[in-house]
Amino acid sequence: MSQFNLAVKSEDSLSSEKDFYMPELSLPFYRPLGRTNLTVSCLGLGGGGKISSEDTLYAFEQGINFFFYSSDLHHFIYRNMADGLRQLCGRGSSTREKVVLATVTYIKNPEVIFGILLDQFGELGIDYIDVLFWGWIGDSDGPALKNCLDISPTLRGSNTVYQKFVEQVFGASERLKKMGAVRYVGASFHNLNHAQEWLHSPLLDVVMVRHNPAHRLAQKKVFGDLDQQDPERQGILTFKSTNSELGALWNPPPTLPQSCWQPSIPDFYRYSLSQNCVDVCLTGLEGREQIDAAIAAVQKGKLSPAEIDYLNIYGDLIRQKLNIDDISPERLLQKAQTL
């Protein structure tokens, strides 16, 4: 899939500037994943939506190349995509170098990493993992994460004890010798203070955080502390783009006038991808229709500042941080004013 640019033409535009191509609103579909040597699609696909293997392969055919797989928590859901990942990433696959395979474990204990790799390599029949994530870093997981990340230098890359373990169990291969068992190490954070603590660490290559209009703290604690031009910055993923503890974000707040823009699920993906230094928005797409809709949405480019401001208001209304009567009517976008 080629990169996409946004050329906006709309007689219902928010301002006269939108009648012209705006480079700052472009949204390349492919981009480097931070300082890693990986090129990723801006949309990532996880198995949380019970997506089938057939539709996983369809997503790859449409250009999505970042796939996220859980080997323990919710594995009964994720395993629906396992056969598709085996076809894309298994030993002997002709497409392996075109795929970025991220796996996650929620067992935050470096002593069991051999068992974790055994499960993931055995189930998916793979030579190597592009990014191994330590998952769900919560409030009390600071010491556990430190223990996990302390082994990063011996976990990632070639000629490690973990590569030798995989070779002993599953047999050697040229890809395994070249890449190592694990190429890069990531962590998914539910506590942003922990994310901030490890944000510039050489032990952590990819940072994954929750982000949506109702949960914007990552913009201050993570995104705002990064420089897009810094060649040493970590890769950034977002997740939980469409849900808050109060429910699905695509259900508009009760106080929002019906004439106002009611964002669709793909609009929330664009919201995250419009933020500073966000490389991938992880999705839980359920099938082909949603895959097509998500790709069509990011083809439009980043959201405009006015659209981002509106979605900030939308999120605050959901969390009941704002009263609709206190909002200037000019900030409440009407349906005809959006792309």
Side-chain angles (χ1 to χ4, degrees):
M1 181 176 293
S2 60
Q3 295 184 354
F4 302 110
N5 288 322
L6 171 62
V8 179
K9 293 284 186 178
S10 172
E11 59 184 67
D12 294 313
S13 61
L14 296 173
S15 70
S16 59
E17 289 183 340
K18 291 185 71 175
D19 289 331
F20 303 94
Y21 169 66
M22 300 173 67
E24 66 272 20
L25 295 185
S26 66
L27 182 57
F29 194 82
Y30 297 106
R31 66 276 306 282
L33 181 59
R35 65 176 180 232
T36 72
N37 193 33
L38 302 171
T39 298
V40 293
S41 55
C42 63
L43 294 171
L45 178 61
K50 298 184 180 181
I51 192 163
S52 68
S53 287
E54 292 77 13
D55 288 343
T56 297
L57 295 172
Y58 177 81
F60 175 72
E61 293 168 357
Q62 303 313 303
I64 293 175
N65 79 335
F66 186 96
F67 297 93
F68 185 86
Y69 190 77
S70 174
S71 62
D72 35 67
L73 185 66
H74 302 316
H75 177 251
F76 74 98
I77 297 175
Y78 278 75
R79 66 186 180 188
N80 291 333
M81 68 189 309
D83 184 62
L85 293 180
R86 280 192 292 271
Q87 293 184 52
L88 292 173
C89 302
R91 289 196 167 193
S93 170
S94 62
T95 59
R96 179 62 184 96
E97 280 73 21
K98 300 176 183 178
V99 177
V100 176
L101 175 64
T103 64
V104 62
T105 178
Y106 298 93
I107 305 172
K108 295 176 279 286
N109 183 350
E111 294 180 3
V112 301
I113 188 64
F114 288 107
I116 291 167
L117 294 177
L118 182 66
D119 288 344
Q120 295 184 355
F121 277 74
E123 181 175 23
L124 298 180
I126 52 180
D127 290 287
Y128 62 90
I129 296 165
D130 290 296
V131 188
L132 175 67
F133 280 89
W134 298 103
W136 204 305
I137 308 304
D139 295 345
S140 61
D141 291 325
L145 177 62
K146 182 181 183 305
N147 290 337
C148 291
L149 292 183
D150 278 345
I151 70 169
S152 290
T154 60
L155 174 62
R156 63 190 172 192
S158 58
N159 299 316
T160 68
V161 63
Y162 300 98
Q163 174 188 330
K164 294 175 182 176
F165 165 75
V166 172
E167 288 181 344
Q168 290 173 358
V169 176
F170 299 103
S173 73
E174 290 303 315
R175 284 172 171 168
L176 178 58
K177 288 184 178 295
K178 178 181 178 181
M179 302 298 186
V182 174
R183 297 181 68 186
Y184 300 102
V185 174
S188 68
F189 293 91
H190 285 253
N191 180 300
L192 293 179
N193 291 326
H194 292 324
Q196 219 174 16
E197 178 184 355
W198 290 95
L199 191 56
H200 299 288
S201 170
L203 301 179
L204 183 63
D205 303 305
V206 185
V207 174
M208 183 174 173
V209 292
R210 178 174 70 169
H211 177 256
N212 61 56
H215 296 278
R216 304 194 297 273
L217 191 57
Q219 294 172 205
K220 177 180 179 180
K221 291 201 169 187
V222 179
F223 311 155
D225 196 30
L226 296 172
D227 179 1
Q228 183 70 52
Q229 304 305 316
D230 181 4
E232 296 303 316
R233 78 163 176 87
Q234 291 148 317
I236 301 294
L237 272 73
T238 60
F239 68 101
K240 291 284 185 183
S241 301
T242 63
N243 287 278
S244 75
E245 69 272 12
L246 299 176
L249 295 184
W250 60 84
N251 295 323
T255 56
L256 187 73
Q258 290 189 353
S259 61
C260 288
W261 173 31
Q262 297 182 12
S264 65
I265 290 175
D267 290 320
F268 296 113
Y269 304 149
R270 291 176 67 203
Y271 179 83
S272 282
L273 291 169
S274 297
Q275 307 298 325
N276 179 54
C277 290
V278 173
D279 299 309
V280 179
C281 177
L282 186 64
T283 71
L285 303 172
E286 298 176 3
R288 300 187 181 198
E289 183 177 347
Q290 292 184 8
I291 292 168
D292 292 341
I295 292 174
V298 299
Q299 286 180 342
K300 298 177 182 179
K302 294 181 179 179
L303 296 174
S304 69
E307 290 167 329
I308 291 175
D309 178 63
Y310 173 84
L311 287 183
N312 291 341
I313 294 171
Y314 182 98
D316 288 341
L317 288 174
I318 286 179
R319 300 193 69 182
Q320 300 179 349
K321 288 186 173 182
L322 280 178
N323 188 312
I324 191 69
D325 296 327
D326 296 331
I327 303 168
S328 169
E330 290 77 16
R331 298 176 67 192
L332 293 176
L333 304 184
Q334 305 302 303
K335 292 178 181 178
Q337 289 180 292
T338 61
L339 294 177

